[in-house]
Coordinates of all heavy atoms in Angstrom, one line a residue:
I26 N 115.6 103.0 102.4 CA 114.3 103.0 103.1 C 113.4 102.2 102.2 O 113.5 102.4 101.0 CB 113.8 104.3 103.5 CG1 112.5 104.2 104.3 CG2 113.6 105.2 102.3 CD1 111.9 105.5 104.9
G27 N 112.7 101.3 102.7 CA 111.8 100.5 101.9 C 110.3 100.8 102.2 O 110.0 101.4 103.3
A28 N 109.4 100.3 101.4 CA 108.0 100.4 101.7 C 107.3 99.2 101.0 O 107.8 98.7 100.0 CB 107.5 101.7 101.1
F29 N 106.3 98.8 101.6 CA 105.5 97.7 101.0 C 104.1 97.7 101.4 O 103.7 98.4 102.4 CB 106.1 96.3 101.4 CG 105.8 95.9 102.8 CD1 104.7 95.2 103.1 CD2 106.7 96.3 103.8 CE1 104.4 94.8 104.5 CE2 106.4 96.0 105.2 CZ 105.3 95.3 105.5
A30 N 103.2 97.0 100.6 CA 101.8 96.8 101.0 C 101.5 95.4 100.5 O 102.0 94.9 99.5 CB 100.9 97.8 100.3
D31 N 100.8 94.6 101.4 CA 100.4 93.3 101.0 C 98.9 93.1 101.5 O 98.4 93.8 102.3 CB 101.3 92.2 101.5 CG 101.2 91.9 103.0 OD1 100.1 91.5 103.4 OD2 102.2 92.0 103.7
T32 N 98.3 92.0 100.9 CA 97.0 91.7 101.4 C 96.7 90.2 101.3 O 97.4 89.5 100.4 CB 95.9 92.5 100.5 OG1 94.6 92.2 101.1 CG2 95.9 92.0 99.1
A33 N 95.9 89.7 102.1 CA 95.4 88.4 102.0 C 93.8 88.4 102.0 O 93.2 87.4 102.4 CB 95.9 87.5 103.2
D61 N 93.8 88.0 108.2 CA 94.7 88.9 108.9 C 96.1 88.3 109.2 O 97.1 88.9 109.0 CB 94.1 89.4 110.2 CG 92.9 90.4 110.0 OD1 92.8 90.9 108.9 OD2 92.2 90.5 111.0
L63 N 97.5 85.8 107.7 CA 98.3 85.5 106.5 C 98.9 86.8 105.9 O 100.0 86.8 105.5 CB 97.3 84.9 105.4 CG 97.0 83.5 105.6 CD1 95.9 83.0 104.6 CD2 98.2 82.5 105.5
A64 N 98.2 87.9 106.0 CA 98.8 89.2 105.6 C 100.0 89.5 106.5 O 101.0 90.0 105.9 CB 97.7 90.3 105.7
E65 N 99.9 89.3 107.8 CA 101.0 89.6 108.7 C 102.2 88.6 108.4 O 103.3 89.0 108.4 CB 100.6 89.5 110.1 CG 99.6 90.6 110.6 CD 100.3 92.0 110.7 OE1 101.6 92.1 110.7 OE2 99.6 93.0 110.8
A66 N 101.9 87.4 108.1 CA 102.9 86.4 107.9 C 103.6 86.8 106.6 O 104.9 86.6 106.5 CB 102.3 85.0 107.7
F67 N 102.9 87.2 105.6 CA 103.6 87.6 104.3 C 104.5 88.8 104.6 O 105.6 88.9 104.1 CB 102.6 87.9 103.2 CG 103.3 88.3 101.9 CD1 104.0 87.3 101.2 CD2 103.4 89.6 101.5 CE1 104.7 87.6 100.1 CE2 104.1 89.9 100.4 CZ 104.8 88.9 99.6
A68 N 104.1 89.8 105.4 CA 104.9 90.9 105.7 C 106.2 90.4 106.4 O 107.3 90.9 106.1 CB 104.2 91.9 106.6
E69 N 106.1 89.5 107.3 CA 107.2 88.9 108.0 C 108.2 88.2 107.0 O 109.4 88.4 107.1 CB 106.8 87.9 109.1 CG 107.9 87.5 110.0 CD 108.4 88.6 110.9 OE1 107.6 89.2 111.6 OE2 109.6 88.8 110.9
C70 N 107.6 87.4 106.1 CA 108.4 86.7 105.1 C 109.1 87.7 104.2 O 110.3 87.6 103.8 CB 107.6 85.8 104.2 SG 107.1 84.3 105.1
L71 N 108.4 88.8 103.8 CA 109.0 89.8 102.9 C 110.1 90.5 103.6 O 111.2 90.7 103.0 CB 107.9 90.8 102.5 CG 108.4 92.0 101.7 CD1 109.0 91.6 100.3 CD2 107.3 93.0 101.5
H72 N 109.9 90.9 104.9 CA 111.0 91.5 105.6 C 112.2 90.6 105.8 O 113.4 91.1 105.6 CB 110.5 92.0 107.0 CG 111.3 92.9 107.7 ND1 111.3 93.1 109.1 CD2 112.3 93.8 107.3 CE1 112.1 94.0 109.4 NE2 112.8 94.4 108.4
E73 N 112.0 89.4 106.0 CA 113.1 88.4 106.1 C 113.9 88.4 104.8 O 115.1 88.4 104.8 CB 112.7 87.0 106.5 CG 113.8 86.0 106.6 CD 113.3 84.6 106.9 OE1 112.3 84.2 106.4 OE2 114.0 84.0 107.8
R74 N 113.2 88.3 103.7 CA 113.8 88.3 102.4 C 114.6 89.6 102.1 O 115.7 89.5 101.5 CB 112.8 88.1 101.3 CG 113.4 87.9 99.9 CD 112.5 87.3 98.9 NE 113.2 87.2 97.7 CZ 112.7 87.6 96.5 NH1 111.5 88.1 96.4 NH2 113.4 87.5 95.4
V75 N 114.1 90.7 102.5 CA 114.8 92.0 102.4 C 116.1 91.9 103.2 O 117.2 92.2 102.7 CB 114.0 93.2 102.8 CG1 114.8 94.4 103.0 CG2 112.9 93.4 101.8
R76 N 116.0 91.4 104.4 CA 117.2 91.4 105.3 C 118.3 90.4 104.8 O 119.5 90.7 104.8 CB 116.8 90.9 106.7 CG 116.0 91.9 107.5 CD 115.8 91.5 108.9 NE 115.4 90.2 109.2 CZ 114.1 89.8 109.4 NH1 113.1 90.7 109.2 NH2 113.8 88.5 109.6
L79 N 117.5 90.7 99.4 CA 117.4 91.9 98.6 C 118.3 93.0 99.0 O 119.0 93.6 98.2 CB 115.9 92.4 98.6 CG 115.0 91.3 98.1 CD1 113.5 91.8 98.2 CD2 115.3 91.0 96.6
W80 N 118.3 93.4 100.3 CA 119.3 94.3 100.8 C 120.5 93.6 101.3 O 121.6 94.1 101.3 CB 118.7 95.2 101.9 CG 117.7 96.2 101.4 CD1 117.2 96.4 100.1 CD2 116.9 97.1 102.2 NE1 116.3 97.3 100.1 CE2 116.0 97.8 101.4 CE3 116.8 97.3 103.6 CZ2 115.1 98.7 101.8 CZ3 115.9 98.3 104.0 CH2 115.1 99.0 103.1
Y82 N 121.7 92.7 104.3 CA 122.6 93.1 105.4 C 122.6 92.1 106.5 O 123.3 92.2 107.5 CB 122.1 94.5 105.9 CG 120.7 94.5 106.4 CD1 120.3 94.2 107.7 CD2 119.6 95.0 105.6 CE1 119.0 94.2 108.2 CE2 118.3 95.1 106.1 CZ 118.1 94.7 107.4 OH 116.8 94.8 107.8
Y98 N 115.9 90.6 115.2 CA 116.5 90.8 113.9 C 116.9 92.3 113.8 O 116.4 93.1 114.5 CB 115.6 90.4 112.7 CG 114.2 90.9 112.8 CD1 113.8 92.2 112.5 CD2 113.2 90.0 113.2 CE1 112.5 92.6 112.6 CE2 111.8 90.4 113.3 CZ 111.5 91.7 113.0 OH 110.2 92.2 113.0
G100 N 116.7 95.8 111.9 CA 115.7 96.5 111.1 C 114.3 96.5 111.7 O 114.0 95.7 112.5
I101 N 113.5 97.4 111.2 CA 112.1 97.5 111.7 C 111.2 97.8 110.5 O 111.7 98.2 109.4 CB 111.9 98.6 112.7 CG1 112.4 100.0 112.2 CG2 112.7 98.3 114.0 CD1 112.1 101.2 113.1
R102 N 110.0 97.6 110.6 CA 109.0 97.9 109.6 C 107.8 98.6 110.2 O 106.7 98.0 110.4 CB 108.6 96.7 108.8 CG 108.1 95.6 109.5 CD 107.6 94.5 108.5 NE 106.8 93.5 109.2 CZ 107.2 92.5 109.9 NH1 108.5 92.3 110.0 NH2 106.4 91.7 110.5
P103 N 108.0 99.9 110.6 CA 106.9 100.6 111.3 C 105.8 101.0 110.3 O 106.0 101.3 109.1 CB 107.6 101.9 111.8 CG 108.7 102.1 110.9 CD 109.2 100.7 110.5
A104 N 104.5 100.8 110.7 CA 103.4 101.1 109.9 C 102.7 102.4 110.3 O 102.6 102.7 111.5 CB 102.4 100.0 110.1
P105 N 102.3 103.2 109.3 CA 101.6 104.4 109.7 C 100.3 104.1 110.5 O 99.6 103.2 110.2 CB 101.2 105.0 108.3 CG 102.2 104.5 107.4 CD 102.5 103.1 107.9
Y107 N 100.6 103.5 113.7 CA 101.1 102.7 114.9 C 102.1 103.6 115.7 O 102.5 104.7 115.2 CB 101.7 101.4 114.5 CG 100.7 100.4 114.1 CD1 100.1 100.3 112.9 CD2 100.2 99.5 115.1 CE1 99.2 99.4 112.5 CE2 99.2 98.6 114.8 CZ 98.7 98.5 113.5 OH 97.7 97.6 113.2
E115 N 100.2 109.1 106.5 CA 101.5 108.7 105.9 C 101.3 107.5 105.0 O 102.1 107.2 104.1 CB 102.5 108.4 107.0 CG 103.0 109.6 107.7 CD 103.6 110.7 106.8 OE1 104.5 110.4 106.0 OE2 103.1 111.8 106.8
K116 N 100.1 106.8 105.1 CA 99.8 105.7 104.2 C 99.6 106.3 102.8 O 99.8 105.7 101.8 CB 98.5 105.0 104.6 CG 98.7 104.1 105.8 CD 97.4 103.4 106.1 CE 97.4 102.9 107.5 NZ 96.1 102.9 108.1
Q117 N 99.1 107.6 102.7 CA 98.9 108.2 101.4 C 100.2 108.3 100.6 O 100.2 108.1 99.4 CB 98.3 109.6 101.6 CG 96.9 109.5 102.2 CD 96.4 110.9 102.6 OE1 97.2 111.8 102.8 NE2 95.1 111.0 102.9
L118 N 101.3 108.5 101.3 CA 102.7 108.5 100.7 C 103.0 107.1 100.2 O 103.4 106.9 99.0 CB 103.7 109.0 101.7 CG 105.2 108.9 101.2 CD1 105.4 109.7 99.9 CD2 106.1 109.3 102.3
L119 N 102.7 106.1 101.0 CA 102.9 104.7 100.5 C 102.1 104.4 99.3 O 102.6 103.8 98.3 CB 102.5 103.7 101.6 CG 103.5 103.6 102.8 CD1 102.9 102.7 103.9 CD2 104.8 103.2 102.4
W120 N 100.8 104.9 99.2 CA 100.0 104.6 98.1 C 100.5 105.4 96.8 O 100.4 104.9 95.7 CB 98.5 105.0 98.4 CG 97.7 103.8 98.7 CD1 96.7 103.2 98.0 CD2 97.9 102.8 99.8 NE1 96.2 102.1 98.5 CE2 97.0 101.8 99.7 CE3 98.8 102.8 100.9 CZ2 96.9 100.7 100.5 CZ3 98.7 101.7 101.7 CH2 97.8 100.7 101.6
E121 N 101.0 106.6 97.1 CA 101.6 107.4 96.0 C 102.8 106.7 95.4 O 103.0 106.6 94.2 CB 102.0 108.7 96.5 CG 102.2 109.8 95.5 CD 102.5 111.1 96.1 OE1 101.8 111.6 97.0 OE2 103.6 111.7 95.8
L122 N 103.6 106.1 96.2 CA 104.8 105.4 95.8 C 104.6 104.1 95.2 O 105.1 103.7 94.1 CB 105.8 105.3 97.0 CG 106.5 106.5 97.5 CD1 107.1 106.2 98.9 CD2 107.4 107.1 96.6
L123 N 103.8 103.3 95.9 CA 103.6 101.9 95.5 C 102.4 101.6 94.6 O 102.3 100.5 94.0 CB 103.5 101.0 96.8 CG 104.7 101.1 97.8 CD1 104.3 100.3 99.0 CD2 105.9 100.6 97.1
Q124 N 101.4 102.4 94.7 CA 100.1 102.2 93.9 C 99.5 100.9 94.2 O 99.1 100.2 93.3 CB 100.4 102.5 92.4 CG 100.9 103.8 92.1 CD 101.3 104.0 90.7 OE1 101.6 103.1 89.9 NE2 101.2 105.3 90.2
P125 N 99.3 100.5 95.5 CA 98.7 99.2 95.7 C 97.3 99.1 95.3 O 96.8 98.0 95.1 CB 98.9 99.0 97.3 CG 99.2 100.4 97.8 CD 99.7 101.2 96.7
D126 N 96.6 100.2 95.2 CA 95.2 100.2 94.7 C 95.2 99.6 93.3 O 94.3 98.8 92.9 CB 94.6 101.6 94.8 CG 95.4 102.7 94.2 OD1 96.6 102.5 94.0 OD2 94.8 103.8 94.0
R128 N 97.9 98.0 91.7 CA 98.7 96.8 91.6 C 98.2 95.6 92.2 O 98.3 94.5 91.7 CB 100.1 97.1 92.1 CG 100.9 98.1 91.2 CD 102.2 98.4 91.9 NE 102.9 99.5 91.2 CZ 103.9 99.3 90.3 NH1 104.3 98.1 90.1 NH2 104.4 100.3 89.7
I129 N 97.6 95.7 93.5 CA 97.2 94.5 94.2 C 95.7 94.7 94.7 O 95.3 93.8 95.4 CB 98.1 94.1 95.4 CG1 98.2 95.3 96.4 CG2 99.5 93.8 94.8 CD1 98.9 94.9 97.7
V131 N 94.4 97.0 96.8 CA 94.2 97.5 98.2 C 94.0 99.0 98.1 O 94.9 99.7 97.5 CB 95.3 97.1 99.1 CG1 95.1 97.7 100.5 CG2 95.5 95.6 99.1
L133 N 92.7 102.8 100.0 CA 92.5 103.6 101.2 C 91.2 104.3 101.3 O 90.7 104.8 100.3 CB 93.6 104.6 101.4 CG 95.0 104.2 101.6 CD1 95.9 105.4 101.7 CD2 95.2 103.4 102.8
M139 N 92.8 100.6 105.3 CA 93.0 99.8 104.1 C 91.8 98.9 103.9 O 91.2 98.3 104.8 CB 94.3 98.9 104.3 CG 95.5 99.8 104.4 SD 97.0 98.8 104.6 CE 96.9 98.4 106.4
A143 N 92.3 92.9 105.7 CA 93.4 91.9 105.9 C 94.5 92.3 105.0 O 94.9 91.6 104.1 CB 92.9 90.5 105.6
S144 N 95.1 93.5 105.3 CA 96.2 94.1 104.5 C 97.2 94.7 105.5 O 96.8 95.1 106.6 CB 95.7 95.2 103.6 OG 94.7 94.6 102.7
V145 N 98.4 94.8 105.0 CA 99.5 95.4 105.8 C 100.3 96.3 104.9 O 100.6 96.0 103.8 CB 100.5 94.3 106.4 CG1 101.6 94.9 107.1 CG2 99.7 93.3 107.2
S146 N 100.7 97.5 105.5 CA 101.5 98.4 104.7 C 102.5 99.0 105.8 O 102.1 99.2 106.9 CB 100.8 99.5 104.0 OG 100.1 100.3 104.9
A147 N 103.7 99.2 105.3 CA 104.7 99.8 106.3 C 105.9 100.3 105.5 O 106.1 100.0 104.3 CB 105.1 98.7 107.3
F148 N 106.8 101.0 106.2 CA 108.1 101.4 105.8 C 109.1 100.3 106.3 O 108.8 99.6 107.3 CB 108.5 102.8 106.3 CG 107.6 103.9 105.9 CD1 106.6 104.4 106.7 CD2 107.7 104.4 104.6 CE1 105.7 105.4 106.3 CE2 106.8 105.4 104.2 CZ 105.9 105.9 105.0
M149 N 110.2 100.2 105.7 CA 111.3 99.3 106.2 C 112.6 100.1 106.4 O 113.0 100.9 105.5 CB 111.5 98.2 105.3 CG 110.4 97.1 105.3 SD 110.8 95.7 104.3 CE 110.5 96.2 102.7
Y150 N 113.2 99.9 107.5 CA 114.5 100.5 107.9 C 115.5 99.4 108.2 O 115.1 98.4 108.9 CB 114.3 101.4 109.1 CG 113.4 102.6 108.9 CD1 112.1 102.5 109.0 CD2 114.0 103.8 108.6 CE1 111.2 103.6 108.8 CE2 113.1 104.9 108.4 CZ 111.8 104.8 108.5 OH 110.9 105.9 108.3
Y157 N 111.6 99.7 117.6 CA 110.3 100.3 117.7 C 110.2 101.2 119.0 O 110.9 100.9 120.0 CB 109.3 99.2 117.8 CG 109.2 98.4 116.5 CD1 109.7 97.2 116.4 CD2 108.5 98.9 115.4 CE1 109.6 96.4 115.2 CE2 108.4 98.3 114.2 CZ 109.0 97.0 114.1 OH 108.9 96.3 112.9

Side-chain angles (χ1 to χ4, degrees):
I26 183 171
F29 72 92
D31 77 55
T32 189
D61 286 342
L63 287 171
E65 291 291 345
F67 182 73
E69 190 69 55
C70 288
L71 175 64
H72 194 200
E73 180 181 43
R74 186 165 178 229
V75 166
R76 293 190 308 269
L79 300 175
W80 292 357
Y82 60 86
Y98 47 76
I101 57 173
R102 55 176 196 277
Y107 284 85
E115 291 302 304
K116 286 182 201 146
Q117 294 167 343
L118 174 61
L119 289 174
W120 260 246
E121 194 177 310
L122 291 169
L123 302 173
Q124 302 175 332
D126 48 344
R128 295 174 185 258
I129 62 171
V131 179
L133 289 180
M139 294 178 284
S144 301
V145 177
S146 64
F148 298 101
M149 285 188 282
Y150 296 80
Y157 293 103

